[in-house]
């Protein structure tokens, strides 16, 4: 009798027990990528893993960057509470919100209205947590890297989500997109800067934050009625009043700008390029019309130039044309007026020193006035 054929057993299925907490809760397969698995990245949610010994997910995800409180034997297990994120939100409402403006109504907006907008749009909420984390890194140097890591994580997740879904988000919640764009400009100024950082450009391209920030003007035009009747009404109303006030001021009698314009007219022979430079100078004159005003300046008083200047000028600036760099150098004294804000501290001198290094010897003499205003010497 022929021997029986061996029976084929059932194929075994290796069940992973090391997936993230979020995939386990949803009962889906996790690819176990760290620090964020593909599923969590796709849905823009926090991705946390349990430690082999059963430790808390927050400890597993953050590793060596964990907060000192995480190793406190007297603290209670955090379960699924994102304690560090709650800490950041609390800090935003009680401290960071007061650093964007000295106007009482705007401080109330940032403290109360902005978080409420964020609760309906996770990407905007993440932007708030990111800027709050950088503020805590500024206030707590001993824990700086821990908070910077938190900030970068929140903002990177939010930015990836927004840039991939901009059109849909604009239709769903233009207020949240507008607020995200503003917060991203704050974040980009507040994050640790490098020696060669020109603020407006990154790796030879216009910085993503500037693209988003300049897009706020388009957002207002696109959804003006919705924005002005919604939670952003106070912010936009004050912004418009200050803009109207600037436009009533005379742009005459600015000898330093007159000298700059004369130098530009003498050097630039091409009419098209000359008009681009003269347009940028004229927009800057509007901001300098407030130069004698010693009161509290708002971000819009200075950043308005970044909104109004032409794309053609930004292209010339990106190409590091000498005349464009000189005009940008005159922006630095304006920026100094905002350095009472921690997230802009030191930017004016940093930018001017960087511009000075990019200019030839002749054009360095053109930025003498900005250098004197900042009290900076190479």
């Amino acid at each position: 009798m022929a021997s029986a054929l061996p029976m084929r057993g059932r194929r075994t299925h290796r069940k992973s027990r090391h997936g993230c907490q979020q995939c386990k809760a949803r009962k889906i397969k996790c690819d176990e990528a760290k620090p964020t698995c593909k599923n969590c990245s796709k849905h823009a949610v926090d991705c946390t893993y349990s430690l082999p010994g059963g430790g808390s997910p927050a400890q597993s995800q953050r590793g060596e960057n964990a907060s000192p409180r995480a190793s406190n034997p007297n603290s209670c297990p955090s379960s699924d509470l994102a304690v560090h994120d709650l800490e950041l939100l609390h800090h935003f409402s009680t401290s960071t919100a007061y650093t964007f403006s000295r106007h009482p109504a705007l401080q109330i907006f940032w403290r109360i209205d902005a978080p409420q907008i964020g609760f309906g749009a996770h990407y905007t909420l993440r932007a708030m947590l990111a800027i709050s984390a950088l503020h805590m890194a500024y206030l707590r140097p001993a824990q700086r890297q821990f908070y910077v890591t938190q900030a970068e994580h929140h903002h990177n997740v939010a930015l990836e989500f927004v840039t991939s879904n901009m059109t849909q988000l604009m239709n769903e919640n233009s207020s949240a997109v507008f607020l995200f764009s503003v917060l991203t400009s704050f974040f980009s100024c507040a994050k640790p800067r490098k020696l060669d950082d020109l603020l407006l450009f990154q790796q030879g391209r216009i910085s993503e934050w500037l693209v988003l920030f300049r897009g706020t003007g388009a957002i207002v035009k696109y959804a003006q009625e919705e924005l002005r009747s919604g939670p952003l009404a106070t912010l936009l109303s004050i912004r418009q009043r200050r803009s109207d006030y600037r436009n009533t001021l005379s742009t005459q009698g600015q000898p330093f700008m007159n000298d700059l314009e004369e130098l530009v007219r003498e050097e630039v022979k091409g009419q098209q390029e000359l008009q681009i430079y003269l347009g940028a100078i004229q927009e800057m004159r509007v901001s300098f019309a407030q130069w004698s005003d010693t009161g509290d300046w708002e971000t819009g008083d200075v950043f308005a130039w970044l909104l109004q200047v032409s794309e053609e000028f930004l292209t010339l600036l990106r190409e590091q044309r000498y005349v464009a760099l000189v005009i940008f150098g005159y922006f630095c004294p304006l920026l100094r007026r905002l350095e009472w804000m921690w997230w802009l501290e030191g930017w004016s001198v940093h930018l001017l020193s960087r511009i000075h290094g990019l200019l030839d010897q002749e054009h360095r003499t053109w930025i003498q006035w900005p250098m004197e205003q900042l009290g900076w010497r190479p």
Side-chain angles (χ1 to χ4, degrees), residues 87-98 107 110-112 115 119 128 132:
E87 176 188 40
L88 295 178
L89 183 59
H90 176 265
H91 183 77
F92 182 90
S93 294
T94 60
S95 182
T96 310
Y98 292 95
Q107 290 180 342
W110 285 112
R111 185 167 57 87
I112 297 176
F119 293 145
M128 293 179 208
S132 177

Side-chain angles (χ1 to χ4, degrees), residues 27-318:
K27 297 183 179 179
I28 59 176
K29 185 177 180 181
C30 179
D31 64 1
E32 301 178 22
K34 296 182 180 180
T36 305
C37 76
K38 185 176 181 180
N39 291 326
C40 290
S41 178
K42 178 179 178 180
H43 295 282
V45 298
D46 284 327
C47 185
T48 53
Y49 290 86
S50 295
L51 288 173
S56 72
Q59 286 175 315
S60 175
Q61 181 184 6
R62 295 181 174 91
E64 295 179 356
N65 287 325
S67 166
R69 281 197 299 274
S71 59
N72 184 355
N74 296 318
S75 63
C76 298
S78 61
S79 182
D80 59 346
L81 282 176
V83 175
H84 297 299
D85 294 341
L86 295 177
E87 176 188 40
L88 295 178
L89 183 59
H90 176 265
H91 183 77
F92 182 90
S93 294
T94 60
S95 182
T96 310
Y98 292 95
T99 67
F100 302 142
S101 172
R102 284 175 171 161
H103 194 295
L106 291 180
Q107 290 180 342
I108 292 174
F109 166 80
W110 285 112
R111 185 167 57 87
I112 297 176
D113 298 322
Q116 290 176 343
I117 295 174
F119 293 145
H122 65 83
Y123 50 91
T124 303
L125 185 61
R126 281 187 181 276
M128 293 179 208
L129 298 182
I131 192 70
S132 177
L134 289 182
H135 191 206
M136 295 191 76
Y138 172 83
L139 296 174
R140 304 179 182 180
Q143 297 172 254
R144 181 175 181 272
Q145 188 54 52
F146 167 68
Y147 287 115
V148 168
T149 300
Q150 279 192 306
E152 290 175 344
H153 167 70
H154 281 299
H155 194 262
N156 288 342
V157 171
L159 186 61
E160 182 179 354
F161 181 81
V162 170
T163 53
S164 301
N165 302 277
M166 176 62 81
T167 303
Q168 178 184 348
L169 296 176
M170 276 290 296
N171 293 327
E172 292 178 351
N173 195 339
S174 55
S175 294
V177 176
F178 179 95
L179 196 57
F180 173 81
S181 301
V182 173
L183 286 164
T184 292
S185 67
F186 296 170
F187 175 86
S188 299
C189 294
K191 68 182 182 181
R193 55 179 171 259
K194 300 176 182 178
L195 289 176
D196 61 347
D197 198 340
L198 259 178
L199 184 62
L200 307 186
F201 305 96
Q202 191 174 39
Q203 298 177 345
R205 303 191 308 271
I206 295 178
S207 295
E208 206 156 22
W209 79 265
L210 183 57
V211 174
L212 286 169
F213 181 69
R214 285 170 65 85
T216 58
I219 294 173
V220 172
K221 292 179 182 178
Y222 175 83
Q224 183 171 3
E225 184 176 344
E226 176 189 343
L227 294 177
R228 296 191 182 281
S229 61
L232 291 178
T234 299
L235 176 68
L236 294 177
S237 175
I238 294 174
R239 175 178 166 179
Q240 186 61 52
R241 287 202 300 270
R242 293 192 69 88
S243 176
D244 293 342
Y245 167 69
R246 285 196 305 276
N247 290 330
T248 64
L249 300 175
S250 173
T251 58
Q252 303 301 313
Q254 299 175 0
F256 51 94
M257 294 301 289
N258 295 337
D259 292 343
L260 174 61
E261 184 172 325
E262 183 178 349
L263 289 168
V264 173
R265 288 182 181 275
E266 288 178 357
E267 172 157 325
V268 182
K269 302 306 179 185
Q271 280 301 307
Q272 185 175 0
E273 186 175 347
L274 176 61
Q275 292 306 312
I276 293 172
Y277 290 138
L278 294 181
I281 290 174
Q282 182 56 37
E283 293 294 345
M284 193 174 288
R285 283 181 182 274
V286 176
S287 293
F288 271 118
Q290 291 180 254
W291 189 244
S292 60
D293 186 351
T294 57
D296 293 333
W297 283 44
E298 295 292 330
T299 52
D301 300 330
V302 173
F303 280 29
W305 184 72
L306 297 178
L307 285 175
Q308 301 300 329
V309 74
S310 69
E311 292 287 343
E312 292 79 7
F313 176 80
L314 289 177
T315 298
L316 295 172
L317 186 56
R318 177 177 57 81

Side-chain angles (χ1 to χ4, degrees), residues 7-24:
M7 294 182 62
R8 179 179 296 176
R10 293 180 60 188
R11 291 182 63 185
T12 59
H13 173 69
R14 178 180 173 272
K15 183 176 180 181
S16 171
R17 299 184 181 277
H18 303 294
C20 74
Q21 298 295 307
Q22 288 68 27
C23 287
K24 287 182 179 180

